[in-house]
Amino acid sequence: MPIVVPRRLAPEVLPADLWLSRAAAHQARADELTADHRARRAAGERHPIDDFLFDYYGTKPSLLRRWHPGPGLALAPTPEGSAEHAGWRWYREDGGGVVRFDVEAFLADRGSTVRYVHHLLSATAGRPAHTGCLGLHEWAMVYRQDDARRRHSLPLRLGREGTDAVVESHPLRCTHIDAFRFFTPEAVGRNRLQPTRENQPELEQPGCLHANMDLWKWCSKLGPAVPGDLALDCFALAREIRTLDMQASPYDVSGLGEQAVAIETPEGKAEYVARQRGFAERSGELRARLIRICADLDPTLVPHSTA
């Protein structure tokens, strides 16, 4: 069913010097965030922590550095002509060389995506954060698995028997389908829940590291509808979360210059939960902004309140 979009207010037109400054700052920040990855790629090297955001999410540094003003803002022409955005998908050029994000065209192509992202993120935001999983999803991915089949070549910090013992002595409480789907067959039945793609909106919760990393995925799905600063904030936070994800994993990350968060110990559990709660709070703010963007794009959606 097509979305009926009411007449919108004219966007605020940003002077060329202002939006060019914002775009340059965005590009510099994006380049800093991707510098190590680009250097490794040129050298043919890989990093099991930092490369995750590029491999798993299909992130391209060239697209990450593209600055988007977001809905409600338009770009005045420079002395050289209209903004390069005019040649990008889902932008249009109005009179006088002013360029803006074309909300109507975007909704025509991606309206179902906007509605799904709004539904999933609103449902997630409406639940309390659960912090008892202790990052055991990574342990469940190697439980009773032959070493040759592991996803990473890093050694196991506690060895094979020690790793399996941790899984067997802790309850598995994973709520995220994109972590659960990598569980070994022996670990699947140990999980208290059975996440699926269909029940994802009913199970996802804001304490989950992967749900919070996925805010970057939803930014990429919403594309130019997401202002550049929000996109980079989500990407940068996902990098931090991924570091904890691997520090708390069964892998020995000391060779990567990282300290383990030994979740099998009381001290490690306390550190993990404290950092998990911090990420949940920071992610909540970013999630609320993405929900607001979806509601602003599609007026048929009810804005979610986190108050």
Side-chain angles (χ1 to χ4, degrees):
M1 183 180 214
I3 297 172
V4 178
V5 180
R7 181 169 182 163
R8 298 176 182 274
L9 296 175
E12 175 189 354
V13 179
L14 296 180
D17 58 344
L18 178 57
W19 72 257
L20 284 171
S21 175
R22 292 183 184 179
H26 173 94
Q27 291 167 357
R29 184 184 177 198
D31 286 344
E32 182 179 0
L33 287 169
T34 64
D36 291 343
H37 171 76
R38 289 182 286 111
R40 285 192 302 271
R41 186 176 60 183
E45 300 172 353
R46 302 193 54 74
H47 194 288
I49 297 179
D50 287 346
D51 288 341
F52 176 83
L53 298 184
F54 299 93
D55 297 338
Y56 182 76
Y57 291 120
T59 302
K60 295 181 179 180
S62 59
L63 292 180
L64 189 67
R65 76 191 306 269
R66 278 192 175 188
W67 175 75
H68 297 286
L73 295 177
L75 309 178
T78 71
E80 289 73 35
S82 299
E84 62 177 334
H85 300 63
W88 298 354
R89 190 179 183 187
W90 296 309
Y91 278 90
R92 59 177 290 177
E93 185 174 344
D94 295 330
V98 174
V99 176
R100 64 176 174 87
F101 172 58
D102 192 337
V103 175
E104 291 78 8
F106 183 77
L107 285 177
D109 291 341
R110 295 287 177 87
S112 60
T113 297
V114 172
R115 292 190 292 274
Y116 177 77
V117 172
H118 181 270
H119 172 57
L120 177 64
L121 297 188
S122 296
T124 304
R127 298 190 182 96
H130 299 294
T131 56
C133 66
L134 299 176
L136 284 164
H137 56 275
E138 289 286 347
W139 299 70
M141 293 177 192
V142 298
Y143 178 61
R144 294 190 180 181
Q145 185 180 68
D146 183 274
D147 289 350
R149 298 169 56 203
R150 290 209 309 266
R151 298 174 66 210
H152 299 294
S153 59
L154 297 171
L156 296 176
R157 180 169 55 83
L158 301 180
R160 165 54 48 213
E161 292 185 1
T163 298
D164 291 348
V166 170
V167 175
E168 291 166 358
S169 62
H170 292 78
L172 297 182
R173 303 167 177 168
C174 183
T175 57
H176 193 67
I177 175 57
D178 287 316
F180 179 70
R181 67 190 177 97
F182 292 109
F183 279 27
T184 65
E186 294 82 0
V188 167
R190 290 181 167 272
N191 201 49
R192 290 188 175 181
L193 299 167
Q194 298 293 298
T196 66
R197 194 63 66 197
E198 290 71 28
N199 66 19
Q200 186 175 3
E202 284 70 53
L203 294 184
E204 202 138 302
Q205 51 87 17
C208 173
L209 294 193
H210 276 260
N212 293 333
M213 277 193 287
D214 275 356
L215 292 178
W216 164 241
K217 176 172 76 173
W218 303 125
C219 283
S220 64
K221 295 291 186 184
L222 294 173
V226 179
D229 64 324
L230 177 55
L232 291 188
D233 285 348
C234 289
F235 182 83
L237 183 58
R239 279 186 66 186
E240 291 185 51
I241 295 173
R242 174 58 178 171
T243 299
L244 175 60
D245 198 33
M246 287 297 285
Q247 287 177 315
S249 78
Y251 297 106
D252 182 353
V253 293
S254 60
L256 303 174
E258 300 291 345
Q259 282 192 327
V261 176
I263 55 92
E264 73 277 9
T265 69
E267 296 78 12
K269 286 179 171 65
E271 179 182 353
Y272 183 88
V273 169
R275 291 171 65 181
Q276 185 181 23
R277 286 174 176 163
F279 286 139
E281 182 176 350
R282 292 167 62 190
S283 297
E285 297 171 0
L286 301 179
R287 184 177 288 108
R289 291 170 66 186
L290 286 173
I291 292 170
R292 180 73 256 179
I293 285 172
C294 291
D296 287 344
L297 288 173
D298 182 349
T300 69
L301 298 173
V302 177
H304 175 79
S305 174
T306 57

